Amino acid sequence: MADRPPAPARVLVIDDDEACARTLSNLLKRLGAVEVTTASNAAEAVERLDLGPFNLICCDLHMPGRDGVETMRLFAERRVKSPIVVVSGADPKVLKAAQELGKGRGLAIAGVLQKPFGIADLEATFVRVATLTSPRSRRPVPKVSAEELEHAIRADQLLLHYQPQIALHSGELHGTEALVRWQHPERGLLTPDAFISLAEATGLIAPLTDWVVKEAIRQCAAWQRAGLNIGASVNLSAQTLRELDLPDRITEMALSAGLTPERVTLEITESKLADDVDSLLDITTRLRLKGFLLAIDDFGTGFSSLTQLRRLPFTELKLDRTFVSGATSDADARSLLESSVQLAKRLRLKTVAEGIETEEEWNLLVWLGVDLGQGYYMARPMPGEKLTPWYASWQSKVA
Ligand code: C2E
Ligand code: MG
Ligand code: MG
């Protein structure tokens, strides 16, 4: 194939089994690797790092002495940046766990190679290595200061982009998720990863959230007046859910904009649910009493207990993008997706799938009976004024 990525130029192969290391080295060289260095244990591997940087590290899991997991721990301590492929004949679940562990430690994991593997499997990992090392994925998160952010909130530098949420059975527009952006005077348009954690750490999340909720409500009310009967979803940080007057503040915003609270869904990330359950229960119950809808966001990524899912008055469950993207190729991800959909249905929660990128994913989710979907396949988040023209072209596509 003409567009196949080339083999990484300099590769480090770590394997205690000499024959395995030799076979892999030969394959790599056949595919165009310029230099393949081998190491038979963790200590040797660490020594070889001085010869680096390597464009790829292939690390065996089963090794006497320090195993692959311990070796990757050493790499993480040394902040190794090279893409790493985990190689092993172990149970695929063990390989997957090792891969997740590596990612969790901040390593650039480019996938797994299940032994015995062929040339096609190796080439497939080169595609992931190329993606990991592309300039886009290496784009650093810009550094911004609390003073700049405080000024941005006051000086109207924040704006919202809206991502359509589509009813999967009919293709109709059901609502939008409001996603905050910062039009930074020097650094351009920033996404939330550049400033939400700073806002949370400095207390600026409270004025930021107030701004976001108010603006989303204003836009949603404007759409209603223009005859577009859709809802708006807004993300709330865990910190915000400690402010006991939040339900009153948000209700006031909706009422003064002339919007019924039933049009507004507040999203709470699953990974934050463990914090301060009492005030969470207080605030979420009062938000529901006032008529707002409540979504559990990124479901499947955190470790929230099923008990919490039962105790908190959620109306909607958002299936995380990692399940959606994994489900068409990975049997375990698909099982988790199916069970989550069934669980949500039994708990009478509306289901929303995040991150639909392909027609294949769309079809699977329709088949599973998921209620709503959002993702690049339908539309990327966009400025509010682009929504109506986008919807017209979407309708002509699905008609
Ligand atoms: P989220 O709430 O899970 O929002 C979905 C994110 O996935 C958005 O990223 C969206 O652009 C992205 N996305 C949507 N469809 C696709 C797809 O098909 N493929 C891929 N790869 N990505 C897709 P964004 O806008 O960068 O927001 C990231 C996170 O920042 C949000 O995740 C949310 O947790 C947080 N966030 C956004 N706006 C706010 C806000 O106003 N307040 C707070 N507290 N957090 C916010
Ligand atoms: Mg969200
Ligand atoms: Mg999400």
PDB file of all heavy atoms in Angstrom, residues 61 86 88-100 112-115 330 332:
ATOM      1  N   LEU A  61       6.400  -8.540  28.008  1.00  0.00           N
ATOM      2  CA  LEU A  61       5.839  -8.484  29.367  1.00  0.00           C
ATOM      3  C   LEU A  61       6.463  -9.524  30.291  1.00  0.00           C
ATOM      4  O   LEU A  61       6.839  -9.242  31.422  1.00  0.00           O
ATOM      5  CB  LEU A  61       4.326  -8.714  29.328  1.00  0.00           C
ATOM      6  CG  LEU A  61       3.425  -7.518  29.048  1.00  0.00           C
ATOM      7  CD1 LEU A  61       1.976  -7.909  29.254  1.00  0.00           C
ATOM      8  CD2 LEU A  61       3.773  -6.314  29.917  1.00  0.00           C
ATOM      9  N   VAL A  86       3.565  -2.898  23.641  1.00  0.00           N
ATOM     10  CA  VAL A  86       3.672  -3.990  24.608  1.00  0.00           C
ATOM     11  C   VAL A  86       3.547  -5.306  23.842  1.00  0.00           C
ATOM     12  O   VAL A  86       2.578  -5.516  23.113  1.00  0.00           O
ATOM     13  CB  VAL A  86       2.543  -3.878  25.657  1.00  0.00           C
ATOM     14  CG1 VAL A  86       2.659  -4.988  26.680  1.00  0.00           C
ATOM     15  CG2 VAL A  86       2.561  -2.508  26.328  1.00  0.00           C
ATOM     16  N   SER A  88       3.531  -9.537  23.952  1.00  0.00           N
ATOM     17  CA  SER A  88       3.459 -10.689  24.841  1.00  0.00           C
ATOM     18  C   SER A  88       2.550 -11.778  24.298  1.00  0.00           C
ATOM     19  O   SER A  88       1.688 -11.517  23.456  1.00  0.00           O
ATOM     20  CB  SER A  88       2.936 -10.239  26.212  1.00  0.00           C
ATOM     21  OG  SER A  88       2.749 -11.345  27.043  1.00  0.00           O
ATOM     22  N   GLY A  89       2.740 -12.970  24.819  1.00  0.00           N
ATOM     23  CA  GLY A  89       1.854 -14.082  24.487  1.00  0.00           C
ATOM     24  C   GLY A  89       0.835 -14.281  25.592  1.00  0.00           C
ATOM     25  O   GLY A  89       0.093 -15.256  25.599  1.00  0.00           O
ATOM     26  N   ALA A  90       0.782 -13.340  26.551  1.00  0.00           N
ATOM     27  CA  ALA A  90      -0.132 -13.479  27.692  1.00  0.00           C
ATOM     28  C   ALA A  90      -1.584 -13.304  27.244  1.00  0.00           C
ATOM     29  O   ALA A  90      -1.858 -12.887  26.128  1.00  0.00           O
ATOM     30  CB  ALA A  90       0.209 -12.440  28.757  1.00  0.00           C
ATOM     31  N   ASP A  91      -2.506 -13.622  28.144  1.00  0.00           N
ATOM     32  CA  ASP A  91      -3.930 -13.410  27.946  1.00  0.00           C
ATOM     33  C   ASP A  91      -4.169 -11.972  27.444  1.00  0.00           C
ATOM     34  O   ASP A  91      -3.622 -11.025  28.008  1.00  0.00           O
ATOM     35  CB  ASP A  91      -4.575 -13.630  29.336  1.00  0.00           C
ATOM     36  CG  ASP A  91      -6.064 -13.348  29.372  1.00  0.00           C
ATOM     37  OD1 ASP A  91      -6.596 -12.791  28.401  1.00  0.00           O
ATOM     38  OD2 ASP A  91      -6.673 -13.688  30.397  1.00  0.00           O
ATOM     39  N   PRO A  92      -4.947 -11.801  26.367  1.00  0.00           N
ATOM     40  CA  PRO A  92      -5.173 -10.454  25.824  1.00  0.00           C
ATOM     41  C   PRO A  92      -5.634  -9.448  26.887  1.00  0.00           C
ATOM     42  O   PRO A  92      -5.320  -8.257  26.793  1.00  0.00           O
ATOM     43  CB  PRO A  92      -6.280 -10.668  24.786  1.00  0.00           C
ATOM     44  CG  PRO A  92      -6.205 -12.098  24.418  1.00  0.00           C
ATOM     45  CD  PRO A  92      -5.641 -12.832  25.590  1.00  0.00           C
ATOM     46  N   LYS A  93      -6.353  -9.920  27.913  1.00  0.00           N
ATOM     47  CA  LYS A  93      -6.815  -9.001  28.964  1.00  0.00           C
ATOM     48  C   LYS A  93      -5.626  -8.438  29.751  1.00  0.00           C
ATOM     49  O   LYS A  93      -5.648  -7.294  30.196  1.00  0.00           O
ATOM     50  CB  LYS A  93      -7.757  -9.716  29.936  1.00  0.00           C
ATOM     51  CG  LYS A  93      -9.131  -9.896  29.351  1.00  0.00           C
ATOM     52  CD  LYS A  93     -10.159 -10.203  30.409  1.00  0.00           C
ATOM     53  CE  LYS A  93     -11.528 -10.172  29.792  1.00  0.00           C
ATOM     54  NZ  LYS A  93     -12.385 -11.264  30.121  1.00  0.00           N
ATOM     55  N   VAL A  94      -4.600  -9.285  29.933  1.00  0.00           N
ATOM     56  CA  VAL A  94      -3.401  -8.834  30.650  1.00  0.00           C
ATOM     57  C   VAL A  94      -2.677  -7.786  29.805  1.00  0.00           C
ATOM     58  O   VAL A  94      -2.229  -6.756  30.314  1.00  0.00           O
ATOM     59  CB  VAL A  94      -2.472 -10.033  30.975  1.00  0.00           C
ATOM     60  CG1 VAL A  94      -1.180  -9.563  31.610  1.00  0.00           C
ATOM     61  CG2 VAL A  94      -3.187 -11.023  31.861  1.00  0.00           C
ATOM     62  N   LEU A  95      -2.610  -8.047  28.500  1.00  0.00           N
ATOM     63  CA  LEU A  95      -1.954  -7.086  27.605  1.00  0.00           C
ATOM     64  C   LEU A  95      -2.673  -5.742  27.638  1.00  0.00           C
ATOM     65  O   LEU A  95      -2.054  -4.679  27.677  1.00  0.00           O
ATOM     66  CB  LEU A  95      -1.967  -7.616  26.159  1.00  0.00           C
ATOM     67  CG  LEU A  95      -0.634  -8.177  25.697  1.00  0.00           C
ATOM     68  CD1 LEU A  95      -0.578  -9.650  25.957  1.00  0.00           C
ATOM     69  CD2 LEU A  95      -0.422  -7.914  24.233  1.00  0.00           C
ATOM     70  N   LYS A  96      -3.993  -5.815  27.620  1.00  0.00           N
ATOM     71  CA  LYS A  96      -4.793  -4.591  27.629  1.00  0.00           C
ATOM     72  C   LYS A  96      -4.577  -3.817  28.933  1.00  0.00           C
ATOM     73  O   LYS A  96      -4.424  -2.602  28.941  1.00  0.00           O
ATOM     74  CB  LYS A  96      -6.274  -4.955  27.483  1.00  0.00           C
ATOM     75  CG  LYS A  96      -6.968  -4.118  26.437  1.00  0.00           C
ATOM     76  CD  LYS A  96      -8.441  -4.333  26.488  1.00  0.00           C
ATOM     77  CE  LYS A  96      -8.911  -5.249  25.387  1.00  0.00           C
ATOM     78  NZ  LYS A  96     -10.320  -5.576  25.475  1.00  0.00           N
ATOM     79  N   ALA A  97      -4.537  -4.575  30.052  1.00  0.00           N
ATOM     80  CA  ALA A  97      -4.343  -3.927  31.355  1.00  0.00           C
ATOM     81  C   ALA A  97      -2.964  -3.256  31.405  1.00  0.00           C
ATOM     82  O   ALA A  97      -2.819  -2.136  31.897  1.00  0.00           O
ATOM     83  CB  ALA A  97      -4.489  -4.946  32.480  1.00  0.00           C
ATOM     84  N   ALA A  98      -1.947  -3.962  30.868  1.00  0.00           N
ATOM     85  CA  ALA A  98      -0.593  -3.406  30.871  1.00  0.00           C
ATOM     86  C   ALA A  98      -0.558  -2.130  30.036  1.00  0.00           C
ATOM     87  O   ALA A  98       0.098  -1.140  30.391  1.00  0.00           O
ATOM     88  CB  ALA A  98       0.390  -4.428  30.312  1.00  0.00           C
ATOM     89  N   GLN A  99      -1.272  -2.154  28.929  1.00  0.00           N
ATOM     90  CA  GLN A  99      -1.338  -0.987  28.052  1.00  0.00           C
ATOM     91  C   GLN A  99      -1.982   0.201  28.784  1.00  0.00           C
ATOM     92  O   GLN A  99      -1.467   1.320  28.746  1.00  0.00           O
ATOM     93  CB  GLN A  99      -2.169  -1.376  26.827  1.00  0.00           C
ATOM     94  CG  GLN A  99      -2.532  -0.258  25.915  1.00  0.00           C
ATOM     95  CD  GLN A  99      -3.263  -0.758  24.670  1.00  0.00           C
ATOM     96  OE1 GLN A  99      -2.672  -1.324  23.796  1.00  0.00           O
ATOM     97  NE2 GLN A  99      -4.534  -0.518  24.579  1.00  0.00           N
ATOM     98  N   GLU A 100      -3.084  -0.053  29.473  1.00  0.00           N
ATOM     99  CA  GLU A 100      -3.769   1.017  30.214  1.00  0.00           C
ATOM    100  C   GLU A 100      -2.874   1.583  31.314  1.00  0.00           C
ATOM    101  O   GLU A 100      -2.824   2.780  31.560  1.00  0.00           O
ATOM    102  CB  GLU A 100      -5.067   0.494  30.856  1.00  0.00           C
ATOM    103  CG  GLU A 100      -6.159   0.193  29.856  1.00  0.00           C
ATOM    104  CD  GLU A 100      -6.486   1.378  28.958  1.00  0.00           C
ATOM    105  OE1 GLU A 100      -6.594   2.497  29.471  1.00  0.00           O
ATOM    106  OE2 GLU A 100      -6.591   1.179  27.729  1.00  0.00           O
ATOM    107  N   VAL A 112      -0.582  -2.932  21.420  1.00  0.00           N
ATOM    108  CA  VAL A 112      -0.034  -4.207  21.870  1.00  0.00           C
ATOM    109  C   VAL A 112       0.227  -5.102  20.663  1.00  0.00           C
ATOM    110  O   VAL A 112      -0.408  -4.960  19.629  1.00  0.00           O
ATOM    111  CB  VAL A 112      -1.014  -4.934  22.832  1.00  0.00           C
ATOM    112  CG1 VAL A 112      -1.228  -4.136  24.097  1.00  0.00           C
ATOM    113  CG2 VAL A 112      -2.342  -5.212  22.161  1.00  0.00           C
ATOM    114  N   LEU A 113       1.191  -5.996  20.820  1.00  0.00           N
ATOM    115  CA  LEU A 113       1.451  -7.012  19.799  1.00  0.00           C
ATOM    116  C   LEU A 113       1.294  -8.365  20.482  1.00  0.00           C
ATOM    117  O   LEU A 113       2.099  -8.736  21.342  1.00  0.00           O
ATOM    118  CB  LEU A 113       2.869  -6.879  19.262  1.00  0.00           C
ATOM    119  CG  LEU A 113       3.097  -6.039  18.021  1.00  0.00           C
ATOM    120  CD1 LEU A 113       4.588  -5.990  17.702  1.00  0.00           C
ATOM    121  CD2 LEU A 113       2.312  -6.563  16.825  1.00  0.00           C
ATOM    122  N   GLN A 114       0.230  -9.063  20.108  1.00  0.00           N
ATOM    123  CA  GLN A 114      -0.036 -10.364  20.719  1.00  0.00           C
ATOM    124  C   GLN A 114       0.803 -11.417  19.990  1.00  0.00           C
ATOM    125  O   GLN A 114       0.687 -11.577  18.785  1.00  0.00           O
ATOM    126  CB  GLN A 114      -1.535 -10.652  20.575  1.00  0.00           C
ATOM    127  CG  GLN A 114      -1.978 -12.007  21.055  1.00  0.00           C
ATOM    128  CD  GLN A 114      -2.323 -11.989  22.539  1.00  0.00           C
ATOM    129  OE1 GLN A 114      -2.977 -11.060  23.004  1.00  0.00           O
ATOM    130  NE2 GLN A 114      -1.889 -13.004  23.260  1.00  0.00           N
ATOM    131  N   LYS A 115       1.673 -12.127  20.742  1.00  0.00           N
ATOM    132  CA  LYS A 115       2.471 -13.195  20.125  1.00  0.00           C
ATOM    133  C   LYS A 115       1.585 -14.407  19.863  1.00  0.00           C
ATOM    134  O   LYS A 115       0.749 -14.714  20.724  1.00  0.00           O
ATOM    135  CB  LYS A 115       3.597 -13.624  21.066  1.00  0.00           C
ATOM    136  CG  LYS A 115       4.744 -12.647  21.201  1.00  0.00           C
ATOM    137  CD  LYS A 115       5.802 -13.272  22.122  1.00  0.00           C
ATOM    138  CE  LYS A 115       6.887 -12.286  22.499  1.00  0.00           C
ATOM    139  NZ  LYS A 115       7.820 -12.802  23.504  1.00  0.00           N
ATOM    140  N   ASP A 330     -13.657  -4.136  19.195  1.00  0.00           N
ATOM    141  CA  ASP A 330     -13.185  -4.834  20.394  1.00  0.00           C
ATOM    142  C   ASP A 330     -14.391  -5.453  21.119  1.00  0.00           C
ATOM    143  O   ASP A 330     -15.312  -4.748  21.525  1.00  0.00           O
ATOM    144  CB  ASP A 330     -12.469  -3.783  21.276  1.00  0.00           C
ATOM    145  CG  ASP A 330     -11.977  -4.339  22.613  1.00  0.00           C
ATOM    146  OD1 ASP A 330     -12.684  -5.140  23.244  1.00  0.00           O
ATOM    147  OD2 ASP A 330     -10.889  -3.928  23.030  1.00  0.00           O
ATOM    148  N   ASP A 332     -14.755  -6.856  24.037  1.00  0.00           N
ATOM    149  CA  ASP A 332     -14.977  -6.475  25.438  1.00  0.00           C
ATOM    150  C   ASP A 332     -15.626  -5.087  25.527  1.00  0.00           C
ATOM    151  O   ASP A 332     -16.559  -4.883  26.303  1.00  0.00           O
ATOM    152  CB  ASP A 332     -13.650  -6.452  26.210  1.00  0.00           C
ATOM    153  CG  ASP A 332     -13.141  -7.862  26.463  1.00  0.00           C
ATOM    154  OD1 ASP A 332     -13.914  -8.816  26.219  1.00  0.00           O
ATOM    155  OD2 ASP A 332     -11.984  -8.013  26.889  1.00  0.00           O
TER     156      ASP A 332
END
